[in-house]
Amino acid sequence: IGDTFQLIAHLLDADVEFTVDEARLRPKGSEVFRLFGDASLLESLTGHKHEVSIEQGLAKTITWFQSRADQLDKTARYTI
């Protein structure tokens, strides 16, 4: 999560701080630390391969939101 946060901050050229809430941290040995995303099964079953990197995908997402800023609910807040 922290790496993704830093990448988004970089793409937005934002001076932001990542804050960790100690009460929400997973305990050591949690199964979460053993989980890794892998698209190889999807690729083998469908032949689908990603066409953009995570940085390119996030940049496209940011551009999409920015291009619709006047259409989005001004009271809505997107929080990570």
Side-chain angles (χ1 to χ4, degrees):
I1 297 295
D3 291 343
T4 303
F5 175 87
Q6 292 300 330
L7 179 54
I8 293 168
H10 170 74
L11 292 170
L12 290 171
D13 194 25
D15 183 20
V16 292
E17 180 180 337
F18 186 78
T19 304
V20 175
D21 181 350
E22 298 292 329
R24 297 188 56 151
L25 290 178
R26 300 280 182 166
K28 295 277 186 208
S30 170
E31 77 286 351
V32 172
F33 296 111
R34 296 188 306 268
L35 301 176
F36 296 95
D38 181 354
S40 61
L41 178 60
L42 173 68
E43 185 179 329
S44 69
L45 294 174
T46 67
H48 173 79
K49 293 184 180 183
H50 67 272
E51 297 177 7
V52 298
S53 68
I54 188 167
E55 186 169 349
Q56 292 167 324
L58 287 171
K60 286 182 175 195
T61 301
I62 290 166
T63 300
W64 185 92
F65 272 95
Q66 289 173 333
S67 71
R68 289 159 179 79
D70 60 327
Q71 301 168 11
L72 298 174
D73 181 357
K74 300 290 188 222
T75 63
R77 287 187 50 128
Y78 293 91
T79 306
I80 297 176

Coordinates of all heavy atoms in Angstrom, one line a residue:
I1 N 0.8 -1.2 0.0 CA 0.0 0.0 0.0 C 0.9 1.2 0.0 O 0.6 2.2 -0.7 CB -0.9 0.0 1.2 CG1 -1.9 -1.2 1.2 CG2 -1.7 1.3 1.3 CD1 -2.9 -1.2 0.0
G2 N 1.9 1.2 0.8 CA 2.8 2.4 0.9 C 3.5 2.7 -0.4 O 3.6 3.8 -0.8
D3 N 3.9 1.6 -1.1 CA 4.5 1.8 -2.4 C 3.6 2.4 -3.4 O 3.9 3.3 -4.2 CB 5.1 0.5 -3.0 CG 6.3 -0.1 -2.2 OD1 6.9 0.7 -1.4 OD2 6.5 -1.3 -2.3
T4 N 2.3 1.9 -3.4 CA 1.3 2.5 -4.3 C 1.0 3.9 -4.0 O 0.9 4.8 -4.9 CB 0.0 1.6 -4.3 OG1 0.4 0.3 -4.6 CG2 -1.0 2.1 -5.3
F5 N 0.9 4.2 -2.7 CA 0.7 5.6 -2.3 C 1.8 6.5 -2.8 O 1.6 7.6 -3.3 CB 0.7 5.6 -0.7 CG 0.6 7.0 -0.2 CD1 -0.7 7.6 0.0 CD2 1.7 7.7 0.2 CE1 -0.8 8.9 0.5 CE2 1.6 8.9 0.8 CZ 0.4 9.6 0.9
Q6 N 3.1 6.0 -2.6 CA 4.2 6.9 -3.1 C 4.2 7.1 -4.6 O 4.5 8.1 -5.1 CB 5.5 6.2 -2.6 CG 5.8 6.2 -1.1 CD 5.8 7.7 -0.6 OE1 6.2 8.6 -1.2 NE2 5.4 7.8 0.7
L7 N 3.8 6.0 -5.3 CA 3.7 6.1 -6.8 C 2.7 7.2 -7.2 O 2.9 8.0 -8.1 CB 3.5 4.8 -7.4 CG 3.3 4.7 -8.9 CD1 4.6 5.3 -9.6 CD2 3.1 3.3 -9.4
I8 N 1.5 7.1 -6.6 CA 0.4 8.1 -6.9 C 0.9 9.5 -6.5 O 0.7 10.4 -7.3 CB -0.9 7.7 -6.2 CG1 -1.4 6.4 -6.7 CG2 -1.9 8.8 -6.3 CD1 -2.5 5.8 -5.9
A9 N 1.5 9.6 -5.4 CA 2.0 10.9 -4.9 C 3.0 11.5 -6.0 O 3.0 12.7 -6.3 CB 2.7 10.9 -3.6
H10 N 3.9 10.6 -6.5 CA 4.9 11.0 -7.5 C 4.2 11.4 -8.8 O 4.5 12.5 -9.3 CB 5.8 9.8 -7.8 CG 6.7 10.0 -9.0 ND1 7.8 10.9 -9.0 CD2 6.6 9.5 -10.2 CE1 8.3 10.9 -10.2 NE2 7.7 10.0 -10.9
L11 N 3.2 10.7 -9.2 CA 2.5 11.0 -10.4 C 1.7 12.3 -10.3 O 1.5 13.0 -11.3 CB 1.5 9.9 -10.8 CG 2.2 8.6 -11.3 CD1 1.1 7.4 -11.4 CD2 2.9 8.7 -12.6
L12 N 1.2 12.6 -9.1 CA 0.5 13.8 -8.9 C 1.4 15.0 -8.5 O 1.0 16.1 -8.3 CB -0.5 13.6 -7.8 CG -1.7 12.8 -8.1 CD1 -2.6 12.5 -6.9 CD2 -2.6 13.4 -9.2
D13 N 2.7 14.7 -8.4 CA 3.7 15.7 -7.9 C 3.2 16.3 -6.6 O 3.2 17.5 -6.4 CB 4.0 16.7 -9.0 CG 5.2 17.5 -8.6 OD1 6.1 17.0 -7.9 OD2 5.3 18.7 -9.1
A14 N 2.7 15.4 -5.7 CA 2.1 15.9 -4.4 C 3.1 15.7 -3.3 O 3.8 14.7 -3.2 CB 0.8 15.1 -4.2
D15 N 3.1 16.7 -2.4 CA 3.9 16.6 -1.2 C 3.0 16.1 -0.1 O 2.3 16.9 0.5 CB 4.5 18.0 -0.9 CG 5.4 18.0 0.3 OD1 5.9 16.9 0.7 OD2 5.6 19.1 0.9
V16 N 3.0 14.8 0.1 CA 2.0 14.2 1.1 C 2.8 13.3 2.0 O 3.9 12.9 1.7 CB 0.9 13.5 0.4 CG1 0.0 14.4 -0.4 CG2 1.5 12.4 -0.6
E17 N 2.2 12.9 3.1 CA 2.8 12.1 4.0 C 2.0 10.8 4.2 O 0.8 10.9 4.4 CB 3.0 12.8 5.4 CG 3.6 12.0 6.5 CD 3.8 12.8 7.8 OE1 3.7 14.0 7.7 OE2 3.9 12.1 8.8
F18 N 2.6 9.7 4.3 CA 1.9 8.4 4.5 C 2.0 8.2 6.0 O 3.0 8.1 6.6 CB 2.6 7.3 3.8 CG 1.9 6.0 3.9 CD1 0.8 5.7 3.1 CD2 2.4 5.0 4.7 CE1 0.2 4.5 3.2 CE2 1.8 3.7 4.8 CZ 0.7 3.5 4.0
T19 N 0.8 8.0 6.6 CA 0.7 7.8 8.1 C 0.2 6.4 8.4 O -0.8 6.0 7.8 CB -0.3 8.8 8.7 OG1 0.2 10.1 8.4 CG2 -0.3 8.7 10.2
V20 N 0.9 5.7 9.3 CA 0.5 4.4 9.6 C -0.2 4.4 11.0 O 0.2 5.0 11.9 CB 1.8 3.5 9.8 CG1 1.4 2.1 10.3 CG2 2.5 3.4 8.4
D21 N -1.4 3.8 11.0 CA -2.2 3.6 12.2 C -1.8 2.3 12.9 O -2.1 1.2 12.4 CB -3.7 3.7 11.9 CG -4.5 3.6 13.2 OD1 -4.0 3.3 14.3 OD2 -5.8 3.7 13.0
E22 N -1.0 2.4 13.9 CA -0.4 1.2 14.6 C -1.5 0.2 14.9 O -1.3 -1.0 14.9 CB 0.4 1.5 15.8 CG 1.6 2.4 15.5 CD 2.7 1.7 14.7 OE1 2.8 0.5 14.9 OE2 3.4 2.4 14.0
A23 N -2.7 0.7 15.3 CA -3.8 -0.2 15.7 C -4.4 -1.0 14.5 O -5.0 -2.0 14.8 CB -5.0 0.6 16.3
R24 N -4.1 -0.6 13.3 CA -4.6 -1.3 12.1 C -3.6 -2.3 11.5 O -3.9 -2.9 10.5 CB -5.1 -0.3 11.1 CG -6.3 0.5 11.6 CD -6.9 1.3 10.6 NE -7.2 0.4 9.5 CZ -8.2 0.6 8.7 NH1 -9.0 1.7 8.8 NH2 -8.5 -0.2 7.7
L25 N -2.4 -2.3 12.0 CA -1.3 -3.2 11.5 C -1.6 -4.6 11.7 O -2.2 -5.0 12.8 CB 0.0 -2.8 12.1 CG 0.6 -1.5 11.7 CD1 2.0 -1.3 12.4 CD2 0.8 -1.4 10.2
R26 N -1.4 -5.5 10.7 CA -1.5 -6.9 10.9 C -0.4 -7.4 11.8 O 0.7 -7.0 11.8 CB -1.4 -7.6 9.6 CG -2.4 -7.2 8.5 CD -3.7 -7.9 8.8 NE -4.7 -7.5 7.8 CZ -5.8 -8.1 7.5 NH1 -6.1 -9.1 8.3 NH2 -6.6 -7.7 6.6
P27 N -0.8 -8.5 12.6 CA 0.3 -9.0 13.5 C 1.3 -9.8 12.7 O 1.1 -10.3 11.6 CB -0.5 -10.0 14.4 CG -1.8 -10.3 13.6 CD -2.1 -9.1 12.8
K28 N 2.5 -9.9 13.2 CA 3.6 -10.6 12.5 C 3.1 -12.1 12.3 O 2.4 -12.6 13.2 CB 4.9 -10.6 13.4 CG 5.5 -9.3 13.6 CD 6.3 -8.9 12.4 CE 7.1 -7.6 12.7 NZ 7.4 -6.9 11.5
G29 N 3.4 -12.6 11.2 CA 3.0 -14.0 10.9 C 1.6 -14.1 10.3 O 1.1 -15.2 10.0
S30 N 1.0 -13.0 10.1 CA -0.4 -12.9 9.5 C -0.3 -13.5 8.1 O 0.7 -13.4 7.4 CB -0.9 -11.5 9.5 OG -2.1 -11.4 8.7
E31 N -1.4 -14.1 7.6 CA -1.4 -14.7 6.3 C -1.2 -13.6 5.2 O -0.8 -13.9 4.1 CB -2.7 -15.5 6.1 CG -3.9 -14.6 5.8 CD -4.5 -13.9 7.0 OE1 -4.1 -14.1 8.1 OE2 -5.4 -13.0 6.8
V32 N -1.6 -12.4 5.6 CA -1.4 -11.3 4.6 C 0.0 -11.2 4.1 O 0.2 -10.9 2.9 CB -1.9 -10.0 5.2 CG1 -1.6 -8.8 4.3 CG2 -3.4 -10.1 5.5
F33 N 1.0 -11.5 4.9 CA 2.4 -11.3 4.5 C 2.8 -12.5 3.6 O 3.9 -12.5 3.1 CB 3.2 -11.2 5.8 CG 3.0 -10.0 6.6 CD1 2.4 -10.1 7.8 CD2 3.3 -8.7 6.0 CE1 2.1 -8.9 8.5 CE2 3.0 -7.6 6.8 CZ 2.4 -7.7 8.0
R34 N 2.0 -13.5 3.4 CA 2.3 -14.6 2.6 C 1.6 -14.6 1.2 O 1.7 -15.4 0.4 CB 2.0 -15.9 3.3 CG 2.8 -16.2 4.6 CD 2.6 -17.6 5.1 NE 1.2 -17.9 5.4 CZ 0.6 -17.7 6.6 NH1 1.2 -17.2 7.6 NH2 -0.7 -18.1 6.7
L35 N 0.7 -13.5 1.0 CA -0.1 -13.4 -0.2 C 0.6 -12.6 -1.2 O 1.2 -11.5 -0.9 CB -1.4 -12.8 0.2 CG -2.3 -13.6 1.2 CD1 -3.5 -12.9 1.5 CD2 -2.6 -15.0 0.6
F36 N 0.7 -13.0 -2.4 CA 1.3 -12.3 -3.5 C 0.3 -12.4 -4.7 O -0.1 -13.5 -5.1 CB 2.6 -12.8 -3.9 CG 3.7 -12.7 -2.8 CD1 3.9 -13.8 -1.9 CD2 4.4 -11.5 -2.6 CE1 4.8 -13.6 -0.9 CE2 5.3 -11.4 -1.6 CZ 5.5 -12.5 -0.8
G37 N 0.1 -11.3 -5.4 CA -0.7 -11.3 -6.6 C 0.1 -11.8 -7.8 O 1.3 -11.6 -7.9
D38 N -0.6 -12.6 -8.6 CA 0.1 -13.2 -9.7 C -1.0 -13.5 -10.8 O -2.0 -14.1 -10.6 CB 0.7 -14.6 -9.3 CG 1.4 -15.3 -10.4 OD1 1.4 -14.8 -11.6 OD2 2.0 -16.3 -10.2
A39 N -0.7 -12.9 -12.0 CA -1.7 -13.0 -13.1 C -1.4 -14.2 -14.0 O -2.1 -14.3 -15.0 CB -1.7 -11.7 -13.8
S40 N -0.5 -15.0 -13.6 CA -0.2 -16.1 -14.5 C -1.3 -17.1 -14.8 O -1.5 -17.6 -15.9 CB 1.0 -16.9 -14.0 OG 0.8 -17.5 -12.8
L41 N -2.2 -17.3 -13.8 CA -3.3 -18.2 -14.0 C -4.3 -17.6 -15.0 O -4.8 -18.2 -15.9 CB -4.1 -18.5 -12.7 CG -5.3 -19.4 -12.8 CD1 -5.0 -20.8 -13.4 CD2 -6.0 -19.6 -11.4
L42 N -4.6 -16.3 -14.8 CA -5.5 -15.6 -15.8 C -4.9 -15.7 -17.2 O -5.6 -16.0 -18.1 CB -5.6 -14.1 -15.4 CG -6.4 -13.2 -16.3 CD1 -7.8 -13.6 -16.4 CD2 -6.2 -11.8 -16.0
E43 N -3.6 -15.4 -17.3 CA -3.0 -15.5 -18.6 C -3.1 -16.9 -19.2 O -3.4 -17.0 -20.4 CB -1.5 -15.1 -18.5 CG -0.8 -15.0 -19.8 CD 0.6 -14.5 -19.7 OE1 0.9 -13.7 -18.8 OE2 1.4 -14.9 -20.5
S44 N -2.8 -17.9 -18.4 CA -2.9 -19.3 -19.0 C -4.3 -19.7 -19.4 O -4.5 -20.5 -20.3 CB -2.3 -20.3 -18.0 OG -3.1 -20.4 -16.8
L45 N -5.3 -19.2 -18.6 CA -6.7 -19.6 -18.9 C -7.3 -18.8 -20.1 O -8.1 -19.3 -20.8 CB -7.5 -19.4 -17.7 CG -7.2 -20.4 -16.5 CD1 -8.1 -20.0 -15.3 CD2 -7.5 -21.8 -17.0
T46 N -6.9 -17.5 -20.2 CA -7.5 -16.6 -21.2 C -6.6 -16.1 -22.3 O -7.1 -15.6 -23.3 CB -8.1 -15.4 -20.5 OG1 -7.0 -14.6 -19.9 CG2 -9.1 -15.8 -19.3
G47 N -5.3 -16.2 -22.1 CA -4.4 -15.7 -23.0 C -4.2 -14.2 -22.9 O -3.5 -13.5 -23.6
H48 N -4.9 -13.6 -21.9 CA -4.8 -12.1 -21.7 C -3.5 -11.8 -21.0 O -3.0 -12.4 -20.1 CB -5.9 -11.7 -20.7 CG -5.8 -10.2 -20.3 ND1 -6.1 -9.2 -21.2 CD2 -5.3 -9.6 -19.2 CE1 -5.9 -8.0 -20.6 NE2 -5.4 -8.3 -19.4
K49 N -2.8 -10.7 -21.6 CA -1.6 -10.2 -21.0 C -1.8 -8.7 -20.8 O -2.5 -8.0 -21.6 CB -0.4 -10.4 -21.9 CG 0.0 -11.8 -22.1 CD 1.2 -11.9 -22.9 CE 1.6 -13.4 -23.1 NZ 2.8 -13.6 -23.9
H50 N -1.3 -8.2 -19.7 CA -1.5 -6.8 -19.4 C -0.8 -6.0 -20.5 O 0.2 -6.4 -21.0 CB -1.0 -6.4 -18.0 CG 0.5 -6.5 -17.8 ND1 1.1 -7.7 -17.4 CD2 1.5 -5.7 -18.0 CE1 2.4 -7.6 -17.3 NE2 2.7 -6.3 -17.7
E51 N -1.3 -4.8 -20.8 CA -0.8 -4.0 -21.8 C -0.1 -2.7 -21.3 O 0.6 -2.0 -22.0 CB -1.9 -3.6 -22.8 CG -2.5 -4.8 -23.5 CD -3.7 -4.4 -24.4 OE1 -3.9 -3.2 -24.6 OE2 -4.3 -5.3 -24.9
V52 N -0.3 -2.4 -20.0 CA 0.3 -1.2 -19.5 C 0.9 -1.6 -18.1 O 0.4 -2.5 -17.4 CB -0.7 0.0 -19.3 CG1 -1.3 0.4 -20.6 CG2 -1.9 -0.4 -18.4
S53 N 1.9 -0.8 -17.7 CA 2.5 -1.0 -16.4 C 1.5 -0.4 -15.3 O 0.6 0.3 -15.6 CB 3.8 -0.3 -16.3 OG 3.6 1.1 -16.4
I54 N 1.8 -0.7 -14.1 CA 1.0 -0.1 -13.0 C 1.1 1.4 -13.0 O 0.2 2.1 -12.8 CB 1.4 -0.7 -11.6 CG1 0.4 -0.1 -10.6 CG2 2.8 -0.4 -11.2 CD1 0.4 -0.8 -9.2
E55 N 2.3 1.9 -13.3 CA 2.5 3.4 -13.4 C 1.7 4.0 -14.5 O 1.0 5.0 -14.4 CB 4.0 3.7 -13.6 CG 4.2 5.2 -13.5 CD 5.7 5.6 -13.4 OE1 6.6 4.7 -13.2 OE2 6.0 6.8 -13.6
Q56 N 1.7 3.3 -15.7 CA 0.9 3.8 -16.8 C -0.6 3.8 -16.5 O -1.4 4.7 -16.8 CB 1.2 3.0 -18.1 CG 2.6 3.2 -18.6 CD 2.9 2.1 -19.7 OE1 2.5 1.0 -19.6 NE2 3.7 2.5 -20.7
G57 N -1.0 2.7 -15.9 CA -2.4 2.5 -15.5 C -2.9 3.6 -14.5 O -4.0 4.1 -14.6
L58 N -2.1 3.8 -13.5 CA -2.4 4.9 -12.5 C -2.4 6.2 -13.2 O -3.3 7.1 -12.9 CB -1.4 4.8 -11.3 CG -1.6 3.7 -10.4 CD1 -0.5 3.6 -9.4 CD2 -2.9 3.7 -9.7
A59 N -1.5 6.5 -14.1 CA -1.5 7.8 -14.8 C -2.7 8.0 -15.6 O -3.3 9.1 -15.6 CB -0.2 7.9 -15.6
K60 N -3.2 6.9 -16.3 CA -4.4 7.0 -17.0 C -5.6 7.2 -16.1 O -6.5 8.0 -16.5 CB -4.6 5.7 -17.8 CG -3.7 5.6 -19.0 CD -4.0 4.3 -19.8 CE -3.2 4.2 -21.1 NZ -3.7 3.2 -22.0
T61 N -5.6 6.6 -15.0 CA -6.7 6.8 -14.0 C -6.7 8.2 -13.5 O -7.8 8.8 -13.4 CB -6.6 5.8 -12.8 OG1 -6.6 4.4 -13.4 CG2 -7.7 5.9 -11.8
I62 N -5.6 8.7 -13.2 CA -5.5 10.1 -12.7 C -6.0 11.1 -13.8 O -6.8 12.0 -13.5 CB -4.1 10.5 -12.3 CG1 -3.7 9.7 -11.0 CG2 -3.9 12.0 -12.1 CD1 -2.2 9.7 -10.7
T63 N -5.6 10.9 -15.0 CA -6.0 11.7 -16.1 C -7.5 11.6 -16.3 O -8.2 12.6 -16.5 CB -5.3 11.3 -17.4 OG1 -3.9 11.4 -17.2 CG2 -5.8 12.1 -18.6
W64 N -8.1 10.4 -16.1 CA -9.6 10.2 -16.2 C -10.3 11.1 -15.2 O -11.2 11.8 -15.5 CB -9.9 8.8 -16.1 CG -11.4 8.5 -16.3 CD1 -12.0 8.2 -17.5 CD2 -12.4 8.5 -15.3 NE1 -13.4 8.1 -17.3 CE2 -13.6 8.2 -16.0 CE3 -12.5 8.7 -14.0 CZ2 -14.9 8.2 -15.3 CZ3 -13.7 8.7 -13.3 CH2 -14.9 8.4 -14.0
F65 N -9.8 11.0 -13.9 CA -10.5 11.7 -12.8 C -10.3 13.2 -13.1 O -11.3 14.0 -12.9 CB -9.9 11.3 -11.5 CG -10.6 10.2 -10.9 CD1 -10.2 8.9 -11.0 CD2 -11.8 10.3 -10.1 CE1 -10.8 7.8 -10.5 CE2 -12.5 9.3 -9.6 CZ -12.0 8.0 -9.7
Q66 N -9.1 13.6 -13.5 CA -8.9 15.1 -13.7 C -9.7 15.6 -14.8 O -10.2 16.7 -14.7 CB -7.4 15.3 -13.9 CG -6.6 15.1 -12.7 CD -5.1 15.2 -12.9 OE1 -4.6 14.9 -14.1 NE2 -4.3 15.5 -11.9
S67 N -9.9 14.8 -15.8 CA -10.7 15.3 -17.0 C -12.2 15.4 -16.7 O -13.0 16.0 -17.4 CB -10.5 14.4 -18.2 OG -11.1 13.2 -18.0
R68 N -12.6 14.8 -15.6 CA -14.0 14.8 -15.2 C -14.3 15.5 -13.9 O -15.3 15.4 -13.3 CB -14.6 13.4 -15.1 CG -14.7 12.7 -16.5 CD -14.7 11.2 -16.4 NE -14.8 10.6 -17.7 CZ -13.8 10.5 -18.6 NH1 -12.6 10.9 -18.3 NH2 -14.0 9.9 -19.8
A69 N -13.3 16.3 -13.5 CA -13.4 17.0 -12.2 C -14.7 17.8 -12.0 O -15.3 17.8 -11.0 CB -12.2 17.8 -11.9
D70 N -15.1 18.4 -13.1 CA -16.3 19.3 -13.1 C -17.6 18.4 -13.0 O -18.7 18.9 -12.6 CB -16.4 20.2 -14.2 CG -16.4 19.5 -15.6 OD1 -15.8 18.5 -15.7 OD2 -17.0 20.1 -16.5
Q71 N -17.5 17.1 -13.4 CA -18.7 16.3 -13.4 C -18.8 15.5 -12.1 O -19.9 14.9 -11.8 CB -18.6 15.3 -14.6 CG -18.5 15.9 -15.9 CD -18.1 14.9 -17.0 OE1 -18.1 13.7 -16.8 NE2 -17.8 15.5 -18.2
L72 N -17.7 15.3 -11.4 CA -17.8 14.5 -10.1 C -18.4 15.3 -9.0 O -18.3 16.5 -8.9 CB -16.3 14.1 -9.8 CG -15.6 13.2 -10.8 CD1 -14.2 13.0 -10.4 CD2 -16.3 11.9 -11.0
D73 N -19.0 14.6 -8.1 CA -19.7 15.2 -7.0 C -18.7 15.9 -6.1 O -17.7 15.3 -5.6 CB -20.3 14.0 -6.1 CG -21.1 14.5 -4.9 OD1 -21.0 15.8 -4.6 OD2 -21.7 13.7 -4.2
K74 N -18.9 17.2 -6.0 CA -17.9 18.0 -5.3 C -17.8 17.7 -3.8 O -16.9 18.0 -3.1 CB -18.3 19.5 -5.4 CG -18.2 20.0 -6.9 CD -16.9 20.0 -7.4 CE -16.9 20.7 -8.8 NZ -16.1 20.1 -9.8
T75 N -18.9 17.0 -3.3 CA -18.9 16.7 -1.8 C -18.2 15.3 -1.6 O -17.9 15.0 -0.5 CB -20.3 16.6 -1.3 OG1 -21.0 15.6 -1.9 CG2 -21.0 18.0 -1.5
A76 N -18.0 14.6 -2.6 CA -17.4 13.3 -2.5 C -15.9 13.4 -2.2 O -15.2 14.3 -2.8 CB -17.6 12.4 -3.7
R77 N -15.3 12.6 -1.4 CA -13.9 12.6 -1.1 C -13.4 11.2 -1.4 O -13.9 10.2 -0.9 CB -13.6 13.0 0.3 CG -13.8 14.4 0.6 CD -13.4 14.8 2.0 NE -12.0 14.3 2.2 CZ -11.0 15.0 2.6 NH1 -11.2 16.2 2.9 NH2 -9.8 14.5 2.7
Y78 N -12.3 11.1 -2.2 CA -11.7 9.8 -2.4 C -10.5 9.7 -1.5 O -9.6 10.5 -1.5 CB -11.2 9.7 -3.9 CG -12.4 9.7 -4.8 CD1 -13.0 10.9 -5.3 CD2 -13.0 8.5 -5.1 CE1 -14.1 10.8 -6.1 CE2 -14.2 8.5 -5.9 CZ -14.7 9.6 -6.4 OH -15.8 9.6 -7.2
T79 N -10.6 8.7 -0.6 CA -9.5 8.6 0.4 C -8.9 7.2 0.3 O -9.6 6.2 0.1 CB -10.2 8.7 1.8 OG1 -10.9 10.0 1.9 CG2 -9.1 8.7 2.9
I80 N -7.6 7.2 0.4 CA -6.9 6.0 0.4 C -6.6 5.6 1.8 O -6.1 6.4 2.6 CB -5.6 6.1 -0.5 CG1 -5.9 6.4 -1.9 CG2 -4.7 4.8 -0.4 CD1 -4.7 6.6 -2.8

